[in-house]
Amino acid sequence: MTSRPRNAIVLARISDARGDGRSVSDQVRDARELADRLRWGIGPDDTHVLREPDTSAFKRRKVNVPGKTHPEWRVVRPEFRRALDMLVSGQADGLIAYDLDRACRDPRDLEDLIDLVEHACAGLPVESVTGSLRLSTDADVTMARVMVAIANKASRDTGRRVARAARTRAENGGHHGGTRAFGYENDGMTVREDEASEIRRLAAALAAGKSLRALIVDLREREVPTVRGGAWQSKVLRDILMNPRVAGLAVHRGEIVGKGRWPAILDEDTWRAVAALLSDPSRRTTPGNAPRWLGSGIYACGTCGDTLYCSGRGGGGKDRRPAYRCRSHHTGPSHVTADARALDRHVIGELLDRLSDPAALQVLNSRHDPHGERAAEEDLASAIAKDETRIRQLRAALADPDAEDIDDLRAAIATLKERIADREARLAAVAARPTPLREFTGGQDAAEVWTSLDLARQRDILRLLARVTVKPSGPGRLPNSLRLPDGTYRIPPERVRVEPL
């Protein structure tokens, strides 16, 4: 390609809009001046002047790559890739950048540009304002490769120094910056009390058995704002409650490295218990349609053994009352049809009889912690904290220029990490054990406590305490003795078997 370009591309990039040498607009102006001196034509501004503000030419992230079965680490630069596509397709016939390191800082990107110049678009002119980017001769190509390798090494050195400084700042309890954390002011050190009280309330509700979905519904109904002003979602709430920052712990690259200098919103034991609950893989975050009746999918048919589900009762008009029926009604008459309100009322009465008895409660609580595992929860949390302190001490020794036995220090750190992982898994298993009876141990009236619980919580207690089997109704009408003042009926006790588990 010997003719001068008529539709050349201008590629301008800065890695940080807060200050990274010449601005994008400055680079574009200088590139246009160079094009005028070279008598090149630049294509339309909206298609051929490609701007990359706040774009790193070094940092990589995992992306899907055509022809590859797994994601790979790549520098993500859509505008640079667009420039290559335009050059290959003939939409553009030249490239001007301000400097080589504005165009390429990753060897793979440079090689893609070299392949294009040498093969796909042989002789394609490439220029830069500083003169550092030319690919017209073998010497130009070799020099470009050397300079990109040096620039890449400089980026790695900078990244290492920044990472080390960030780790030191975290180990010293400093704030890492970034988006404001829910519960704290913009400085990261001052508690925002209205949000902190929400975190405490949410942690207590979660520990008491509330679901994330129920908590999210409550936050939305009370119009509690998020940090960014968007709607509450399970991921947003999970990230807040699982963030070690709320326990006053400093984190670097996902690892707790010490105590922060900011006030804790939750004590560490409470935070670890909540984090363990949210880490439990058995917790379903997309449970589908929520049941609206206590025993739907839990009560069993006394004839076929299938579970009962609640639906509108046969008939029509005012007689279409909610009723439990077994699955057999899909292929014929249901073995069991029971008024939903009457049956739930009977089962709740049976459960409250047990929950109101202190001796029975003690037996139930011990049954669900047969080995005293919860008594070990505090010991596990304490042991984890001691191991983390020991790791920080070993790292400090490792950083000493005169340190000896470096391999032994590293081996000791690895051993402690394995032990922490094992103890955290055990702590998660203990914290995830169902404890749905804790509300009933405070001496309050069992009926009042039951009424205060949401339906999901009540269903958990039902599953834990009893197996309910419902028999078919006998012939004839219900006797008047079962009629209640409001006109409804009690279900005949002989139809319902509530077996303790």
Short mmCIF file of all heavy atoms in Angstrom, two decimals, residues 297-347:
data_model
loop_
_atom_site.label_atom_id
_atom_site.label_comp_id
_atom_site.label_asym_id
_atom_site.label_seq_id
_atom_site.Cartn_x
_atom_site.Cartn_y
_atom_site.Cartn_z
N GLY A 297 -47.84 -28.96 50.52
CA GLY A 297 -46.62 -29.69 50.19
C GLY A 297 -45.98 -30.36 51.39
O GLY A 297 -44.92 -30.97 51.25
N ILE A 298 -46.61 -30.27 52.57
CA ILE A 298 -46.06 -30.87 53.80
C ILE A 298 -47.01 -31.93 54.35
O ILE A 298 -46.60 -33.05 54.66
CB ILE A 298 -45.78 -29.80 54.87
CG1 ILE A 298 -44.78 -28.77 54.33
CG2 ILE A 298 -45.24 -30.44 56.14
CD1 ILE A 298 -44.51 -27.62 55.29
N TYR A 299 -48.30 -31.60 54.51
CA TYR A 299 -49.27 -32.57 55.00
C TYR A 299 -49.32 -33.76 54.03
O TYR A 299 -49.09 -33.60 52.82
CB TYR A 299 -50.67 -31.97 55.09
CG TYR A 299 -50.83 -30.80 56.03
CD1 TYR A 299 -51.90 -29.91 55.89
CD2 TYR A 299 -49.94 -30.57 57.07
CE1 TYR A 299 -52.07 -28.84 56.75
CE2 TYR A 299 -50.09 -29.49 57.94
CZ TYR A 299 -51.15 -28.63 57.76
OH TYR A 299 -51.32 -27.56 58.61
N ALA A 300 -49.68 -34.93 54.55
CA ALA A 300 -49.73 -36.14 53.72
C ALA A 300 -51.13 -36.72 53.72
O ALA A 300 -51.89 -36.61 54.70
CB ALA A 300 -48.75 -37.17 54.24
N CYS A 301 -51.50 -37.34 52.60
CA CYS A 301 -52.79 -38.01 52.47
C CYS A 301 -52.74 -39.33 53.23
O CYS A 301 -51.80 -40.13 53.06
CB CYS A 301 -53.10 -38.25 50.99
SG CYS A 301 -54.55 -39.28 50.70
N GLY A 302 -53.78 -39.61 54.04
CA GLY A 302 -53.82 -40.84 54.81
C GLY A 302 -54.15 -42.06 53.99
O GLY A 302 -54.04 -43.19 54.50
N THR A 303 -54.53 -41.88 52.72
CA THR A 303 -54.87 -43.03 51.86
C THR A 303 -53.72 -43.41 50.94
O THR A 303 -53.26 -44.55 50.91
CB THR A 303 -56.12 -42.71 51.02
OG1 THR A 303 -57.22 -42.46 51.89
CG2 THR A 303 -56.47 -43.88 50.10
N CYS A 304 -53.21 -42.43 50.16
CA CYS A 304 -52.16 -42.73 49.19
C CYS A 304 -50.77 -42.30 49.64
O CYS A 304 -49.78 -42.67 49.02
CB CYS A 304 -52.49 -42.09 47.84
SG CYS A 304 -52.47 -40.27 47.87
N GLY A 305 -50.69 -41.50 50.71
CA GLY A 305 -49.39 -41.06 51.21
C GLY A 305 -48.82 -39.87 50.47
O GLY A 305 -47.76 -39.35 50.85
N ASP A 306 -49.50 -39.41 49.41
CA ASP A 306 -48.99 -38.26 48.66
C ASP A 306 -49.19 -36.99 49.48
O ASP A 306 -50.00 -36.93 50.40
CB ASP A 306 -49.74 -38.16 47.33
CG ASP A 306 -48.98 -37.33 46.31
OD1 ASP A 306 -47.91 -36.80 46.66
OD2 ASP A 306 -49.47 -37.21 45.17
N THR A 307 -48.40 -35.94 49.14
CA THR A 307 -48.54 -34.67 49.86
C THR A 307 -49.81 -33.95 49.43
O THR A 307 -50.32 -34.14 48.32
CB THR A 307 -47.32 -33.76 49.61
OG1 THR A 307 -47.08 -33.68 48.20
CG2 THR A 307 -46.09 -34.31 50.30
N LEU A 308 -50.33 -33.13 50.33
CA LEU A 308 -51.52 -32.35 50.06
C LEU A 308 -51.14 -30.94 49.62
O LEU A 308 -50.16 -30.38 50.10
CB LEU A 308 -52.39 -32.25 51.33
CG LEU A 308 -52.82 -33.56 51.99
CD1 LEU A 308 -53.74 -33.27 53.17
CD2 LEU A 308 -53.49 -34.49 51.00
N TYR A 309 -51.94 -30.42 48.71
CA TYR A 309 -51.74 -29.05 48.24
C TYR A 309 -53.06 -28.30 48.36
O TYR A 309 -54.14 -28.90 48.25
CB TYR A 309 -51.24 -29.03 46.80
CG TYR A 309 -49.83 -29.52 46.67
CD1 TYR A 309 -49.57 -30.88 46.50
CD2 TYR A 309 -48.76 -28.64 46.76
CE1 TYR A 309 -48.26 -31.34 46.42
CE2 TYR A 309 -47.46 -29.09 46.68
CZ TYR A 309 -47.21 -30.44 46.51
OH TYR A 309 -45.91 -30.89 46.44
N CYS A 310 -52.96 -27.01 48.57
CA CYS A 310 -54.15 -26.20 48.79
C CYS A 310 -54.61 -25.56 47.49
O CYS A 310 -53.81 -25.02 46.72
CB CYS A 310 -53.88 -25.12 49.83
SG CYS A 310 -55.37 -24.28 50.40
N SER A 311 -55.91 -25.64 47.24
CA SER A 311 -56.48 -24.99 46.06
C SER A 311 -57.92 -24.63 46.38
O SER A 311 -58.44 -24.95 47.46
CB SER A 311 -56.43 -25.94 44.85
OG SER A 311 -57.19 -27.11 45.11
N GLY A 312 -58.59 -23.98 45.43
CA GLY A 312 -59.99 -23.65 45.65
C GLY A 312 -60.83 -24.90 45.69
O GLY A 312 -60.63 -25.85 44.91
N ARG A 313 -61.76 -24.96 46.59
CA ARG A 313 -62.60 -26.13 46.74
C ARG A 313 -63.63 -26.20 45.63
O ARG A 313 -64.02 -25.19 45.06
CB ARG A 313 -63.32 -26.05 48.10
CG ARG A 313 -63.95 -27.35 48.53
CD ARG A 313 -64.34 -27.26 49.99
NE ARG A 313 -64.94 -28.49 50.45
CZ ARG A 313 -65.26 -28.72 51.71
NH1 ARG A 313 -65.04 -27.78 52.61
NH2 ARG A 313 -65.81 -29.85 52.07
N GLY A 314 -64.07 -27.38 45.32
CA GLY A 314 -65.07 -27.55 44.28
C GLY A 314 -66.36 -26.84 44.61
O GLY A 314 -66.64 -26.49 45.75
N GLY A 315 -67.19 -26.65 43.61
CA GLY A 315 -68.46 -25.95 43.84
C GLY A 315 -68.47 -24.66 43.08
O GLY A 315 -68.48 -24.63 41.87
N GLY A 316 -68.43 -23.58 43.72
CA GLY A 316 -68.44 -22.28 43.06
C GLY A 316 -69.06 -21.24 43.94
O GLY A 316 -69.66 -21.55 44.98
N GLY A 317 -68.92 -20.01 43.56
CA GLY A 317 -69.49 -18.91 44.33
C GLY A 317 -68.94 -18.86 45.74
O GLY A 317 -67.74 -19.03 45.97
N LYS A 318 -69.80 -18.67 46.72
CA LYS A 318 -69.36 -18.51 48.11
C LYS A 318 -68.80 -19.81 48.68
O LYS A 318 -68.09 -19.79 49.67
CB LYS A 318 -70.54 -18.05 48.96
CG LYS A 318 -71.03 -16.64 48.60
CD LYS A 318 -72.17 -16.23 49.50
CE LYS A 318 -72.66 -14.83 49.15
NZ LYS A 318 -73.80 -14.42 50.02
N ASP A 319 -69.15 -20.95 48.09
CA ASP A 319 -68.69 -22.23 48.64
C ASP A 319 -67.28 -22.59 48.18
O ASP A 319 -66.76 -23.63 48.58
CB ASP A 319 -69.66 -23.35 48.24
CG ASP A 319 -69.41 -24.63 49.01
OD1 ASP A 319 -69.23 -24.54 50.24
OD2 ASP A 319 -69.36 -25.71 48.38
N ARG A 320 -66.67 -21.74 47.36
CA ARG A 320 -65.34 -22.06 46.84
C ARG A 320 -64.28 -21.64 47.87
O ARG A 320 -63.56 -20.68 47.72
CB ARG A 320 -65.10 -21.35 45.51
CG ARG A 320 -63.87 -21.88 44.77
CD ARG A 320 -63.83 -21.37 43.35
NE ARG A 320 -62.63 -21.82 42.68
CZ ARG A 320 -62.47 -23.02 42.16
NH1 ARG A 320 -63.45 -23.91 42.23
NH2 ARG A 320 -61.35 -23.36 41.55
N ARG A 321 -64.21 -22.44 48.97
CA ARG A 321 -63.27 -22.17 50.04
C ARG A 321 -61.97 -22.90 49.78
O ARG A 321 -61.97 -24.01 49.20
CB ARG A 321 -63.86 -22.61 51.38
CG ARG A 321 -65.14 -21.86 51.76
CD ARG A 321 -65.58 -22.22 53.16
NE ARG A 321 -65.81 -23.65 53.33
CZ ARG A 321 -66.96 -24.26 53.04
NH1 ARG A 321 -67.97 -23.56 52.56
NH2 ARG A 321 -67.09 -25.55 53.24
N PRO A 322 -60.81 -22.36 50.23
CA PRO A 322 -59.54 -23.07 50.06
C PRO A 322 -59.56 -24.42 50.77
O PRO A 322 -60.04 -24.53 51.90
CB PRO A 322 -58.52 -22.13 50.71
CG PRO A 322 -59.19 -20.78 50.73
CD PRO A 322 -60.64 -21.06 50.90
N ALA A 323 -59.07 -25.44 50.11
CA ALA A 323 -59.09 -26.79 50.67
C ALA A 323 -57.81 -27.53 50.30
O ALA A 323 -57.24 -27.32 49.22
CB ALA A 323 -60.31 -27.56 50.18
N TYR A 324 -57.37 -28.40 51.21
CA TYR A 324 -56.24 -29.28 50.93
C TYR A 324 -56.77 -30.53 50.22
O TYR A 324 -57.78 -31.12 50.62
CB TYR A 324 -55.56 -29.70 52.23
CG TYR A 324 -54.70 -28.63 52.86
CD1 TYR A 324 -55.12 -27.97 54.02
CD2 TYR A 324 -53.48 -28.28 52.31
CE1 TYR A 324 -54.34 -26.99 54.61
CE2 TYR A 324 -52.69 -27.29 52.89
CZ TYR A 324 -53.13 -26.65 54.04
OH TYR A 324 -52.35 -25.68 54.61
N ARG A 325 -56.05 -30.93 49.16
CA ARG A 325 -56.39 -32.16 48.45
C ARG A 325 -55.11 -32.86 48.02
O ARG A 325 -54.08 -32.21 47.83
CB ARG A 325 -57.25 -31.86 47.22
CG ARG A 325 -58.62 -31.31 47.55
CD ARG A 325 -59.46 -31.13 46.31
NE ARG A 325 -58.97 -30.03 45.47
CZ ARG A 325 -59.51 -29.71 44.30
NH1 ARG A 325 -60.52 -30.42 43.80
NH2 ARG A 325 -59.04 -28.71 43.62
N CYS A 326 -55.17 -34.17 47.85
CA CYS A 326 -53.99 -34.91 47.37
C CYS A 326 -53.97 -34.89 45.85
O CYS A 326 -54.95 -34.51 45.20
CB CYS A 326 -53.96 -36.33 47.92
SG CYS A 326 -55.25 -37.41 47.27
N ARG A 327 -52.88 -35.36 45.27
CA ARG A 327 -52.68 -35.27 43.83
C ARG A 327 -53.63 -36.17 43.03
O ARG A 327 -53.77 -36.02 41.82
CB ARG A 327 -51.24 -35.67 43.48
CG ARG A 327 -50.19 -34.67 43.97
CD ARG A 327 -50.22 -33.40 43.16
NE ARG A 327 -49.08 -32.55 43.45
CZ ARG A 327 -48.87 -31.38 42.85
NH1 ARG A 327 -49.70 -30.94 41.94
NH2 ARG A 327 -47.81 -30.65 43.17
N SER A 328 -54.29 -37.10 43.70
CA SER A 328 -55.14 -38.04 42.97
C SER A 328 -56.29 -37.34 42.25
O SER A 328 -56.89 -37.89 41.32
CB SER A 328 -55.71 -39.09 43.93
OG SER A 328 -56.57 -38.48 44.88
N HIS A 329 -56.62 -36.09 42.66
CA HIS A 329 -57.75 -35.40 42.03
C HIS A 329 -57.45 -35.05 40.58
O HIS A 329 -58.35 -34.68 39.83
CB HIS A 329 -58.11 -34.14 42.83
CG HIS A 329 -57.20 -32.98 42.62
ND1 HIS A 329 -56.02 -32.85 43.32
CD2 HIS A 329 -57.28 -31.91 41.79
CE1 HIS A 329 -55.42 -31.73 42.94
NE2 HIS A 329 -56.15 -31.14 42.01
N HIS A 330 -56.18 -35.18 40.16
CA HIS A 330 -55.86 -34.93 38.75
C HIS A 330 -56.37 -36.06 37.85
O HIS A 330 -56.59 -35.86 36.66
CB HIS A 330 -54.35 -34.76 38.57
CG HIS A 330 -53.82 -33.49 39.16
ND1 HIS A 330 -54.24 -32.25 38.79
CD2 HIS A 330 -52.87 -33.28 40.12
CE1 HIS A 330 -53.59 -31.32 39.47
NE2 HIS A 330 -52.76 -31.92 40.30
N THR A 331 -56.48 -37.26 38.41
CA THR A 331 -56.93 -38.41 37.61
C THR A 331 -58.28 -38.94 38.06
O THR A 331 -58.82 -39.86 37.46
CB THR A 331 -55.89 -39.53 37.71
OG1 THR A 331 -55.69 -39.86 39.10
CG2 THR A 331 -54.57 -39.11 37.11
N GLY A 332 -58.81 -38.38 39.13
CA GLY A 332 -60.10 -38.84 39.66
C GLY A 332 -60.41 -38.10 40.93
O GLY A 332 -59.77 -37.10 41.26
N PRO A 333 -61.42 -38.58 41.70
CA PRO A 333 -61.75 -37.91 42.97
C PRO A 333 -60.58 -37.93 43.93
O PRO A 333 -59.84 -38.91 44.02
CB PRO A 333 -62.93 -38.76 43.50
CG PRO A 333 -63.45 -39.48 42.30
CD PRO A 333 -62.27 -39.73 41.42
N SER A 334 -60.41 -36.84 44.67
CA SER A 334 -59.33 -36.77 45.66
C SER A 334 -59.66 -37.67 46.84
O SER A 334 -60.80 -37.74 47.29
CB SER A 334 -59.17 -35.32 46.12
OG SER A 334 -58.23 -35.24 47.16
N HIS A 335 -58.64 -38.37 47.34
CA HIS A 335 -58.86 -39.20 48.54
C HIS A 335 -59.22 -38.34 49.74
O HIS A 335 -60.00 -38.74 50.59
CB HIS A 335 -57.59 -39.99 48.86
CG HIS A 335 -57.16 -40.92 47.77
ND1 HIS A 335 -55.86 -41.01 47.34
CD2 HIS A 335 -57.87 -41.79 47.01
CE1 HIS A 335 -55.78 -41.90 46.37
NE2 HIS A 335 -56.98 -42.38 46.15
N VAL A 336 -58.59 -37.16 49.82
CA VAL A 336 -58.76 -36.28 50.96
C VAL A 336 -59.13 -34.89 50.48
O VAL A 336 -58.51 -34.36 49.56
CB VAL A 336 -57.48 -36.21 51.81
CG1 VAL A 336 -57.56 -35.07 52.82
CG2 VAL A 336 -57.24 -37.52 52.53
N THR A 337 -60.16 -34.32 51.08
CA THR A 337 -60.48 -32.91 50.91
C THR A 337 -60.75 -32.35 52.29
O THR A 337 -61.62 -32.85 53.01
CB THR A 337 -61.73 -32.72 50.02
OG1 THR A 337 -61.47 -33.28 48.73
CG2 THR A 337 -62.06 -31.24 49.86
N ALA A 338 -59.95 -31.32 52.67
CA ALA A 338 -60.08 -30.77 54.02
C ALA A 338 -60.02 -29.26 53.96
O ALA A 338 -59.16 -28.69 53.26
CB ALA A 338 -58.98 -31.31 54.92
N ASP A 339 -60.94 -28.61 54.66
CA ASP A 339 -60.95 -27.16 54.71
C ASP A 339 -59.59 -26.66 55.21
O ASP A 339 -59.10 -27.06 56.27
CB ASP A 339 -62.05 -26.68 55.65
CG ASP A 339 -62.18 -25.16 55.67
OD1 ASP A 339 -61.39 -24.53 56.41
OD2 ASP A 339 -63.03 -24.63 54.95
N ALA A 340 -58.95 -25.78 54.42
CA ALA A 340 -57.57 -25.37 54.72
C ALA A 340 -57.48 -24.64 56.05
O ALA A 340 -56.58 -24.91 56.85
CB ALA A 340 -57.05 -24.49 53.59
N ARG A 341 -58.40 -23.73 56.30
CA ARG A 341 -58.30 -22.94 57.54
C ARG A 341 -58.53 -23.83 58.77
O ARG A 341 -57.84 -23.70 59.79
CB ARG A 341 -59.30 -21.79 57.51
CG ARG A 341 -58.98 -20.73 56.44
CD ARG A 341 -59.96 -19.56 56.52
NE ARG A 341 -59.63 -18.54 55.54
CZ ARG A 341 -60.06 -18.53 54.29
NH1 ARG A 341 -60.86 -19.51 53.87
NH2 ARG A 341 -59.71 -17.57 53.44
N ALA A 342 -59.50 -24.73 58.67
CA ALA A 342 -59.80 -25.61 59.81
C ALA A 342 -58.63 -26.54 60.09
O ALA A 342 -58.25 -26.76 61.25
CB ALA A 342 -61.07 -26.40 59.53
N LEU A 343 -58.04 -27.11 59.02
CA LEU A 343 -56.93 -28.04 59.21
C LEU A 343 -55.70 -27.32 59.77
O LEU A 343 -55.06 -27.82 60.71
CB LEU A 343 -56.60 -28.72 57.89
CG LEU A 343 -55.45 -29.74 57.90
CD1 LEU A 343 -55.66 -30.80 58.97
CD2 LEU A 343 -55.28 -30.38 56.52
N ASP A 344 -55.36 -26.16 59.22
CA ASP A 344 -54.21 -25.40 59.73
C ASP A 344 -54.43 -25.02 61.20
O ASP A 344 -53.50 -25.09 62.01
CB ASP A 344 -53.99 -24.14 58.90
CG ASP A 344 -53.31 -24.44 57.57
OD1 ASP A 344 -52.91 -25.60 57.35
OD2 ASP A 344 -53.19 -23.51 56.74
N ARG A 345 -55.67 -24.61 61.53
CA ARG A 345 -55.96 -24.22 62.91
C ARG A 345 -55.72 -25.38 63.87
O ARG A 345 -55.16 -25.22 64.96
CB ARG A 345 -57.39 -23.71 62.99
CG ARG A 345 -57.78 -23.11 64.33
CD ARG A 345 -59.04 -22.28 64.19
NE ARG A 345 -60.09 -23.04 63.53
CZ ARG A 345 -60.85 -22.55 62.55
NH1 ARG A 345 -60.68 -21.32 62.12
NH2 ARG A 345 -61.80 -23.28 62.00
N HIS A 346 -56.13 -26.58 63.46
CA HIS A 346 -55.95 -27.76 64.30
C HIS A 346 -54.47 -28.09 64.48
O HIS A 346 -54.01 -28.35 65.61
CB HIS A 346 -56.67 -28.96 63.67
CG HIS A 346 -56.49 -30.23 64.43
ND1 HIS A 346 -57.31 -30.61 65.48
CD2 HIS A 346 -55.55 -31.22 64.31
CE1 HIS A 346 -56.89 -31.77 65.97
NE2 HIS A 346 -55.84 -32.17 65.26
N VAL A 347 -53.70 -28.06 63.39
CA VAL A 347 -52.28 -28.40 63.46
C VAL A 347 -51.52 -27.39 64.31
O VAL A 347 -50.68 -27.74 65.13
CB VAL A 347 -51.68 -28.49 62.04
CG1 VAL A 347 -50.16 -28.64 62.10
CG2 VAL A 347 -52.30 -29.65 61.28
#
